[in-house]
Structures are given as structure tokens and as C-alpha cells.
Amino acid sequence: MRRFTPAVLAALTLTTALTAVPAAQAHDGGSPVLGIAACTGTACHFDVPPGTYDVKVLLGGEAASSTAIAGETRRSLLPETVVPAGERVARTFTVNVRTPEGEPTGVDGTPGLDLVLGGSAPALADIRVTPARHTRQVFLVGDSTVCDQPGDPYSGWGQQLPQYLRKGVSVANYADSGESTVTYLGNPRLWATVQPQIHRGDLVMIQLAHNDKTTDEATYRTNLETLVAGVREKGGRPVLVTPIVRRWFNADGTLNNGTALLVNGLGVDHPAVVRSVAAARDVPLIDLTAKTKALVESLGTEGSKALYLYNEKRDNTHTSVHGATVYAGLVRDELLAQHLVPEGLVRVG
């Protein structure tokens, strides 16, 4: 999915003439505007309280168009969609609105729901926002490689995951930069905030390892088991996710070293412990370590740079928007393959 650059936003034209109307103002002075009147030439703002909302958009115009939609803290909500000239295409998605809108320990952000249109030739004909009902919630518990990163060029894979899900599935990304299993359980703004929100049937995906640099194996295992038990206590469905690899090559072009494969200074092999807990506790496992290792090695030392922020920051841990999107696609594939989300609620094209 493309980044929403200033040049693209400046070129945005809507197929319906828009009048700038404050989102809190209705035509009758009562209910907030939840349609296209809440949009300007570049974005839409809906004055709604925290919750889960369905968004239906009508894309297209007189000329050929190509539109993508992001929202809140740089979340990718709808992949770039091409519409031939003179045609209209309807698309829907479900979005989680919360405070803070991004990382749980970050700034509150802007109240309400904010959407930004991008793509190579955006065209929005209509939009409607309604409270969602019977939504399947996907909670994400993780670190900076998963979270809703506030600033470009960073992006976590959880930030890109919503674009792969259809209306009826909402991603509530409670991943937070710098967190380990120890700090995630100990900070009241993290696990103590997430657990009460879990309802029966909700999916809770857990990827914590990158910051457990000083956590011994027994503690790490116990913390993972505590998170799993806490999800099940609320009727949720835990899914353990092994961490994405660091882009740290050996001379032979492999990633078979402790830095790349998340073995900490105490010799704790984090992916191995996650796999062990998943097997012992009968928890679905997404082995993202194995999948990202295979992909990075196949791309090689040069080709894999684009997945991470090597070119921009000499960073071999955090992913670019491109890398996060690719890794979110790997997660999407596993959600489908393991039937963790119904096929009809996942975008595959």
C-alpha cells in the first residue's frame, strides 16, 4: 500500500462537491454528520465517541481512479482500489476508535474518527459511518514491531493488518513500543486495560520478545502463560506469535544467529519458548520468526533492506511501511490457513 505523501494528498479530488462542515455539526444542529459532509478535500473527520464503527465508501469518478484509505494513527484500513472511469465501487471496513488512538502509553490523539484518502488517483463519491454490531474483535498485544507507529517511516505489522480484514472484523492494536512480557503485565495502561475489554470469541494475538533482553526463561514462560490464561478467563481465543526476525546476516547469507533469531543475553531462545508454550497450552501458533526468516533470506542482504529501515535509519529491527505490509500479509495468510478468522472476512486480493 502506498504512503500518503503530501503530493498525493494535494492532488486529491473528490467526485462529489464537498463543503467543509464541522463534524460535530449536523444539518439540523443535532446528531453529528456521519456522511460525506464531514469530509474536506483531503480527509474526513467524524465526531464519534470511542467504539467500533462500520465504514462504507463509494469509490470512483468520471476519470479512472485508485484510492486507499488510512485512519487514526496511520492505520491502513483499505488497500488501494482501482476503479475504471465512470464507474463506482463500494467497499466496507470496520475500525476501532479509542483513546489513546495509537500506542496505549502515547498521546491521546484527536477525538473521534479521522480518515485520510490516498493512492495514486483518489476519488471518493460517498461515505457512511455507522456503529458496528456483532463485530469480531482482534486484539494485538506486542511491542514496537507490531504497534501503531506515530511517525513515518516507521510502521508495525499490526498497523497494516486492518487493510486485510473486511467489515465485521476490527483490529484493536494495544501493542506498545519498548514493552517486554514483564512491563506489559506490570503497566496498568497495558494488560490491565486490555483484559477487561475481551469478550467471548475475541482473538488476542500476542507477540512479545524483542524487549525481553534480561528476562530469564522461567519468567518469560510464566508471563506468556499468564497472558494466555488471562485471555481464556474472559472467553477469548489466545494466539501466540513468534517475533519477527532482525535483519542480521551471517557471512553465508543466513540468519542463523542469536541477534537475528531473538536469543537474549541469558541464552533464552524466545521463539523456541513461545512454540513450547503454544504446544503445552494448546494455543494456536503463528510462527512469524520462521516465516520472516525464510523471506528475508530469500531476498538476500540487498533485497531485504526495503523491508526494514536500513536505508533510512540503519535499523535492522523495525519495519518500513512496505515491510510491515508484507509481514501483515504473512499474518493474514495464517489467520486464513488456521481458520482463526472466517474466510469471508479476510481480503485475499
Side-chain angles (χ1 to χ4, degrees):
M1 179 174 169
R2 296 176 183 269
R3 299 180 189 177
F4 299 107
T5 63
V8 169
L9 291 176
L12 175 62
T13 58
L14 300 182
T15 61
T16 298
L18 302 183
T19 302
V21 177
Q25 175 185 337
H27 298 297
D28 60 2
S31 302
V33 175
L34 299 181
I36 202 163
C39 302
T40 66
T42 59
C44 304
H45 173 76
F46 302 96
D47 187 14
V48 295
T52 306
Y53 295 88
D54 291 331
V55 179
K56 181 177 181 179
V57 294
L58 191 64
L59 305 176
E62 295 310 309
S65 63
S66 185
T67 308
I69 299 177
E72 297 297 89
T73 303
R74 303 175 61 241
R75 298 180 220 158
S76 295
L77 300 171
L78 187 72
E80 191 153 355
T81 302
V82 175
V83 182
E87 296 186 15
R88 303 288 189 274
V89 170
R91 291 288 185 269
T92 57
F93 55 88
T94 301
V95 60
N96 173 255
V97 176
R98 61 183 182 272
T99 302
E101 69 178 34
E103 295 181 84
T105 64
V107 299
D108 283 354
T110 305
L113 170 61
D114 289 284
L115 302 176
V116 178
L117 285 83
S120 58
L124 176 68
D126 199 10
I127 185 169
R128 285 290 178 269
V129 175
T130 56
R133 298 178 181 178
H134 310 299
T135 299
R136 297 169 185 262
Q137 196 83 283
V138 177
F139 289 94
L140 301 182
V141 169
D143 53 35
S144 59
T145 66
V146 185
C147 75
D148 287 349
Q149 289 280 0
D152 191 65
Y154 293 89
S155 181
W157 63 254
Q159 200 164 19
Q160 302 299 324
L161 185 62
Q163 67 183 299
Y164 291 119
L165 302 173
R166 298 182 185 275
K167 174 188 174 185
V169 183
S170 170
V171 176
N173 190 351
Y174 280 85
D176 196 71
S177 293
E179 306 301 342
S180 66
T181 57
V182 176
T183 61
Y184 203 95
L185 284 167
N187 190 329
R189 299 183 71 179
L190 298 172
W191 183 238
T193 296
V194 175
Q195 191 193 20
Q197 299 182 62
I198 300 171
H199 293 94
R200 183 164 300 280
D202 286 343
L203 210 63
V204 184
M205 303 172 65
I206 302 163
Q207 186 215 278
L208 287 167
H210 278 271
N211 300 301
D212 280 280
K213 299 179 179 68
T214 59
T215 309
D216 64 80
E217 183 168 340
T219 301
Y220 184 64
R221 179 182 298 272
T222 297
N223 289 344
L224 291 176
E225 292 173 340
T226 298
L227 290 165
V228 166
V231 174
R232 286 176 166 166
E233 178 185 326
K234 303 295 289 186
R237 298 181 295 153
V239 178
L240 288 174
V241 183
T242 59
I244 67 169
V245 294
R246 294 190 178 99
R247 184 190 163 277
W248 201 270
F249 284 92
N250 296 329
D252 63 0
T254 67
L255 300 179
N256 296 315
N257 59 77
T259 300
L261 300 181
L262 283 295
V263 178
N264 74 9
L266 300 178
V268 180
D269 185 333
H270 294 101
V273 177
V274 175
R275 295 178 190 119
S276 174
V277 172
R281 301 296 177 179
D282 193 25
V283 178
L285 173 74
I286 295 179
D287 198 341
L288 205 51
T289 304
K291 291 187 172 297
T292 55
K293 178 179 184 293
L295 177 59
V296 170
E297 288 180 340
S298 72
L299 292 173
T301 55
E302 288 302 314
S304 62
K305 287 179 179 178
L307 295 174
Y308 291 82
L309 293 174
Y310 179 84
N311 294 323
E312 299 88 346
K313 303 285 186 179
R314 294 298 187 268
D315 186 334
N316 291 308
T317 297
H318 297 96
T319 48
S320 62
V321 171
H322 167 66
T325 302
V326 171
Y327 287 178
L330 297 177
V331 174
R332 180 270 315 271
D333 293 345
E334 283 300 296
L335 293 176
L336 272 174
Q338 298 189 42
H339 307 290
L340 296 170
V341 175
E343 183 176 345
L345 298 180
V346 180
R347 297 185 196 277
V348 294

